[in-house]
Structures are given as C-alpha cells and as structure tokens.
C-alpha cells in the first residue's frame, strides 16, 4: 500500500490528543460521541479533519467510521468532481471539481480545472480504467500505443483519491495460454455499504491447444490473493465490451456485440443476457444504486433527436423509462462556438455520465463540440465544466473517458 507525501504544513497539523485541554479531551476521547459528530459533517470537512490529531486520523481511517459513514452517506450521493481524459490517444487527465472544497491528491483547494498527477512509483502511462464508489482502477503500461487486452508487462493499481492512497495489485496467476489481446479485461467491484473490502474480476481468453474459451479470475483485498473460477465460458460475443462493464447489485453489466444486456452474477458466476430497451446506441451507467441505460433515439412524431434514460427494475424484470430529454432543448442553451456551427447543426455530442440523487436534481454530463457540459434534466439549465478546444483537436466529437469521484475513506 502506498501513500502520497503530505506537505510540511499538513504534517505540523497532526498533533497528539494530550495537547488538547482536559475538557476538550474528555469529548474527543469518547469514540462513539466523536464518530456521531463526524458523521454529521460533509466529506470535504472530514478530509481536513484527518490532520487535526493522530487520534482523529486513526479514527477516520479506521474500519468502524468508514463503514458507518458509507452506510449513512453513500445513498443518493453526488460526485464531488470528475476525472476527464484530456487526450484520446494517451493517458492524461484533468480533474474537474464540482465542490471546490473537496481537494484530491492533497493539493490546495481546487477552484479551477487542473491536470491530475498520480503518485504511483512507476513512471509511464497511467490509464484510469474504472471508477467504482470512490475507488479508481488504474493501469500502468510501459507501452505507448493503445491496447485493450491484457499484457504481462501491465501493472494495475487500486487508488483512493480522497485519501491519496493506492495499492499495487499482484498479477493473476496461471496465465499460460492467455491471449494478450483477448476480449476480456479487468473490472473493480466495491460496495462500501456491504463491505470495506473490494474485489477484482479478470476475464481473459485462453487456448488449451484445441479451442478458445474464457476463464475468469477473482481477487479479494481481504485475502490479497487471486482465485480461478472452476467453470469455463465458451468464447463468444457475450464477453465483447466486458472491459466497459459497470458494477451494480453484486453483478457486472455490459452490452455485448449483439447489442444485448449481459449480466455476470458474481456470487454464482452465472452469465445471462436480456434485451435492451432500444435496438441501437445504448450505453450503461450506474448512479445512486440504479442501473441506467441511456439511448440516443428519434421522436416518432417530430423526428427530433432525443436522449431516453431507462432504469432497470429490481429483479431484472424490465427496463422502465425514467427521463426523456429533447436534444434541441440542450442545443438552444449551448454557447455559440466559433467555427463549429456545422457540428452544432449535425448534433455532435456524446453522453459521458448521468447522475441521479436526492441531494440535487439529476443531470447529464455531455461532450458537445469539444466542450464538456452539465445539463440539469429538471431545471433544463446548462453549465460548462471543461473545454477541450485549446488542445487543438481536428475532430469535435471524441470518445474520451469520464470518471466520477465519490468521497470514500476506505483504505486500499
């Protein structure tokens, strides 16, 4: 496990509890009372309070507080910011804060978009593969060209930006016969409401000398070891896009090559497929305990472009419509971009993220003509988050990653 280097100012803030007056010490020495007080505070305040004293640091970083805080605050939450992939061909990210009080990587309070740097000991290209309930799955590669399959030279990390803590993961064992450019990939599963331990699922194509098949490995942070699933899965298009799977309800979900919803039950390691609400242009998201499918569609009456947002009902019975957004309503609010009138005319856009919750209205994060904007679905308002255009891309619609940051105090 690794940690970033705290600044000298932060080191001076950490004191012993016996330096407090006796009356104050009588309060803070009561763990139950102190935890009850801390649970009422926003995450941005708790991050700073970790530096008050050694006792507070130990308590906030401990499993009891972390689990209680997750259970209390992890429902209907909103992200504090987003990690945006700045370049499509290399691993370079910008952190865009939504709450400027919540700093990452122990940097000063963020009031502007900043480049984000990793503290990993390896030097090279670091790629964010996934964001899952406050933790990031990252891959370090010595290769400069883009590749999607597993490579033995790759190193994977689980990283918690909220507390600037990371863990270098051991490589899966028994990889003889692995196809380097397999259709599988590695995914992170983490639900702090259920457990403070995370798991990794690695699916890869292998060959036994006669035929190809898919083998699944699982890693547990509780044991620190990999295990292999005894069952083999036939190589098929069902594992296509597994590297984009979303974690929800103790299962991994993705859209296969035949445009069907695929679910891998992690408890029983059973693979099932179900139809999607629309035939084309579907993307899966997870937000506030809901599995969502965002579809680009066209109105039957007006032929106008729309964004349909469906929610999977509990029990996987069916997809139900939750929101229907008219794209013209967004374009009317979109700021004029000189030289890109043609892109606006042809509706160049991509849905990067959707956020639900009771803390605020639901919103979409979209890339439109080189800008990343936040669109409030209820109020029908728009706010610019980031501008890619200074990077001088020729294309105005590029598929770049967007990874939300949720507050988490779980150790990795």
């Amino acid at each position: 496990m690794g940690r970033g280097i705290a600044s000298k100012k932060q080191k001076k803030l950490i004191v012993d509890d016996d330096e407090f007056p006796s009356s104050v010490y009588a309060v803070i020495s009561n763990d139950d009372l102190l935890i009850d007080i801390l649970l009422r505070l926003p995450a941005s305040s708790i991050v700073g309070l970790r530096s008050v004293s050694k006792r507070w640091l130990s308590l906030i970083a401990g499993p009891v507080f972390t689990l209680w805080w997750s259970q209390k605050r992890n429902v209907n939450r909103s992200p504090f910011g987003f990690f945006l992939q700045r370049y499509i061909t290399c691993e370079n990210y910008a952190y865009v804060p939504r709450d400027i009080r919540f700093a990452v990587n122990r940097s000063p309070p963020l009031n502007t978009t900043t480049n984000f740097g990793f503290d990993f000991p390896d030097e090279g290209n670091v790629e964010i593969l996934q964001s899952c309930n406050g933790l990031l799955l990252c891959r370090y590669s010595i290769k400069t060209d883009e590749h999607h399959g597993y490579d033995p030279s790759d190193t994977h990390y689980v990283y918690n930006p909220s507390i600037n803590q990371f863990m270098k993961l051991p490589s899966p064992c028994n990889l003889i016969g692995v196809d380097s450019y397999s259709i599988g990939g590695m995914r992170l599963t983490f639900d702090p409401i259920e457990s403070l331990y995370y798991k990794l699922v690695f699916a890869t194509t292998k060959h036994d000398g006669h035929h190809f098949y898919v083998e699944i490995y699982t890693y547990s942070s509780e044991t620190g070891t990999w295990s292999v699933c005894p069952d083999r899965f036939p190589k098929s298009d069902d594992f296509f896009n597994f590297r984009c799977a979303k974690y929800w309800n103790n299962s991994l979900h993705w859209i296969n090559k035949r445009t069907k919803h695929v679910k891998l039950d992690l408890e029983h390691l059973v693979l099932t497929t179900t139809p999607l609400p629309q035939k084309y242009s579907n993307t899966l998201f997870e937000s506030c305990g809901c599995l969502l499918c965002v579809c680009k569609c066209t109105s039957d009456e007006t032929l106008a472009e729309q964004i349909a947002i469906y929610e999977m009902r509990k029990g996987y019975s069916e997809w139900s419509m939750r929101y229907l957004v008219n794209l013209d309503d967004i374009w009317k609010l979109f700021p004029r971009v000189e030289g890109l009138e043609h892109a606006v005319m042809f509706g160049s856009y991509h849905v990067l993220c959707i956020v639900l919750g009771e803390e605020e209205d639901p919103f979409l994060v979209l890339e439109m003509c080189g800008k990343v904007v936040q669109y409030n679905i209820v109020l029908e308002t728009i706010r610019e988050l980031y501008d890619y255009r200074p990077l001088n891309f020729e294309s105005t619609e590029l598929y770049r990653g967007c990874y939300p940051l949720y507050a988490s105090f779980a150790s990795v």
Side-chain angles (χ1 to χ4, degrees):
M1 180 170 62
R3 295 178 182 270
I5 301 176
S7 65
K8 294 182 179 179
K9 181 179 179 180
Q10 288 172 318
K11 289 181 178 180
K12 291 180 181 178
L13 288 176
I14 300 178
V15 297
D16 293 316
D17 285 340
D18 55 14
E19 296 183 28
F20 290 104
S22 57
S23 59
V24 176
Y25 181 76
V27 175
I28 66 173
S29 61
N30 186 321
D31 287 353
D32 293 337
L33 179 59
L34 183 54
I35 287 177
D36 186 60
I37 294 173
L38 293 174
L39 287 175
R40 301 171 187 270
L41 300 177
S44 55
S45 299
I46 297 176
V47 171
L49 291 175
R50 295 172 72 250
S51 300
V52 168
S53 72
K54 295 178 180 178
R55 176 61 181 166
W56 285 35
L57 176 63
S58 175
L59 190 66
I60 294 174
V64 175
F65 173 81
T66 304
L67 184 59
W68 286 5
W69 189 88
S70 299
Q71 293 174 339
K72 182 179 178 64
R73 295 297 182 92
N74 211 49
V75 179
N76 299 324
R77 70 208 187 287
S78 294
F80 286 88
F82 300 95
F83 296 98
L84 298 177
Q85 187 178 0
R86 298 180 71 242
Y87 298 92
I88 193 171
T89 56
C90 64
E91 293 72 36
N92 188 294
Y93 297 88
Y95 174 66
V96 179
R98 299 185 64 246
D99 185 340
I100 62 175
R101 299 171 301 171
F102 194 84
V104 297
N105 211 9
R106 281 204 276 263
S107 58
L110 298 171
N111 51 19
T112 58
T113 302
T114 62
N115 291 336
F116 181 79
F118 297 90
D119 287 338
F120 304 158
D122 297 310
E123 294 183 1
N125 298 316
V126 178
E127 179 185 5
I128 299 177
L129 300 180
Q130 183 188 1
S131 171
C132 185
N133 292 321
L135 302 184
L136 299 180
L137 175 62
C138 304
R139 176 177 65 182
Y140 161 77
S141 176
I142 61 175
K143 293 186 176 182
T144 57
D145 59 324
E146 183 180 4
H147 68 285
H148 298 291
Y150 178 81
D151 190 285
S153 63
D154 291 344
T155 302
H156 290 82
Y157 289 87
V158 172
Y159 178 47
N160 186 339
S162 300
I163 58 176
N164 197 32
Q165 190 180 95
F166 59 84
M167 170 66 76
K168 186 175 182 179
L169 300 170
S171 298
C173 56
N174 189 26
L175 294 181
I176 299 176
V178 167
D179 179 10
S180 296
Y181 290 85
S182 69
I183 61 174
M186 190 176 295
R187 304 310 283 169
L188 173 67
T189 67
F190 175 58
D191 186 353
I193 297 179
E194 298 295 333
S195 172
L196 295 180
Y197 297 105
Y198 58 87
K199 293 183 179 180
L200 289 152
V201 181
F202 175 53
T204 184
T205 307
K206 298 185 73 173
H207 193 270
D208 60 3
H210 300 284
H211 61 277
F212 285 98
Y213 62 94
V214 175
E215 192 164 66
I216 293 179
Y217 300 79
T218 58
Y219 172 87
S220 170
S221 65
E222 183 176 12
T223 62
T225 58
W226 286 93
S227 59
V228 60
C229 173
D231 297 326
R232 294 181 177 183
F233 296 86
K235 182 181 178 181
S236 68
D237 291 339
D238 284 343
F239 277 92
F240 186 83
N241 280 336
F242 176 84
R243 65 179 63 89
C244 300
K246 302 296 189 297
Y247 175 65
W248 178 71
N249 200 22
N250 199 31
S251 300
L252 286 170
H253 304 262
W254 67 95
I255 297 175
N256 68 5
K257 199 171 185 178
R258 296 192 299 271
T259 64
K260 286 188 176 181
H261 164 221
V262 184
K263 182 189 76 169
L264 177 63
D265 186 315
L266 298 179
E267 182 177 358
H268 304 99
L269 288 178
V270 175
L271 198 70
T272 57
T273 61
T274 56
L276 289 166
Q278 299 282 349
K279 190 173 182 180
Y280 301 107
S281 300
N282 299 284
T283 308
L284 296 183
F285 296 96
E286 185 278 333
S287 181
C288 295
C290 298
L291 182 66
L292 305 168
C293 184
V294 176
C295 310
K296 297 179 181 180
C297 55
T298 303
S299 171
D300 294 334
E301 298 177 355
T302 64
L303 299 182
E305 282 194 85
Q306 296 176 320
I307 301 175
I309 302 168
Y310 295 85
E311 178 184 351
M312 171 59 74
R313 291 186 179 274
K314 296 296 184 181
Y316 303 97
S317 57
E318 61 178 347
W319 294 96
S320 61
M321 174 82 74
R322 183 149 181 174
Y323 301 105
L324 184 64
V325 179
N326 291 316
L327 194 62
D328 286 344
D329 295 337
I330 303 179
W331 284 118
K332 291 175 183 177
L333 301 171
F334 192 75
R336 179 180 175 83
V337 181
E338 296 293 337
L340 294 180
E341 289 82 359
H342 67 287
V344 175
M345 183 183 304
F346 290 105
S348 174
Y349 77 100
H350 184 72
V351 179
L352 299 177
C353 184
I354 179 171
V355 177
L356 306 179
E358 295 180 356
E359 296 177 350
E360 59 181 321
D361 291 332
F363 63 86
L364 289 167
V365 177
L366 307 102
E367 181 179 351
M368 309 177 74
C369 299
K371 289 178 177 287
V372 177
V373 297
Q374 175 181 317
Y375 176 73
N376 187 303
I377 298 174
V378 176
L379 299 179
E380 298 183 354
T381 57
I382 197 170
R383 181 166 71 94
E384 182 178 329
L385 298 178
Y386 190 70
D387 191 349
Y388 282 118
R389 291 179 303 132
L391 301 178
N392 296 321
F393 285 113
E394 294 181 1
S395 173
T396 58
E397 182 183 9
L398 295 174
Y399 191 98
R400 285 177 284 251
C402 175
Y403 306 92
L405 169 64
Y406 294 97
S408 173
F409 301 102
S411 297
V412 298

